[in-house]
Amino acid sequence: MKRILIATLVLTMLILTAVPVLADSDIKIDAQIRARDQASDKSFDTTYSTDNFSELRTRVGIAGTVNDNAHIYIQFQD
């Protein structure tokens, strides 16, 4: 819990210091959501039932361009 709090504070400080720099820049936000269902029937036992499970991947990315020499891209993934 302490690590999450420290990471949140550091990220907040980085964002607050970057806001004046990024005020004149081009900012783009992108996101992806991928849901996948899978079934596993790898047993030859007739009493064995099929295992079904789902996976979900979520990504959010922020891209910023300050000038021709400075680009930044941050992506969070779950």
Side-chain angles (χ1 to χ4, degrees):
M1 183 68 181
K2 194 173 186 179
R3 288 183 183 174
I4 294 172
L5 181 62
I6 292 171
T8 304
L9 289 174
V10 168
L11 185 60
T12 303
M13 293 303 292
L14 287 173
I15 290 171
L16 289 176
T17 56
V19 168
V21 173
L22 294 175
D24 296 331
S25 65
D26 184 27
I27 297 175
K28 296 179 184 175
I29 299 173
D30 61 356
Q32 295 178 349
I33 297 175
R34 182 183 75 179
R36 182 169 57 185
D37 293 325
Q38 294 185 5
S40 176
D41 191 19
K42 295 184 179 181
S43 177
F44 295 105
D45 187 6
T46 57
T47 61
Y48 180 77
S49 63
T50 304
D51 287 336
N52 295 321
F53 56 94
S54 299
E55 295 177 341
L56 178 68
R57 182 186 72 191
T58 307
R59 289 182 178 172
V60 176
I62 302 170
T65 303
V66 178
N67 55 29
D68 291 336
N69 295 325
H71 303 283
I72 186 169
Y73 184 75
I74 300 172
Q75 185 178 65
F76 302 99
Q77 177 176 329
D78 174 33

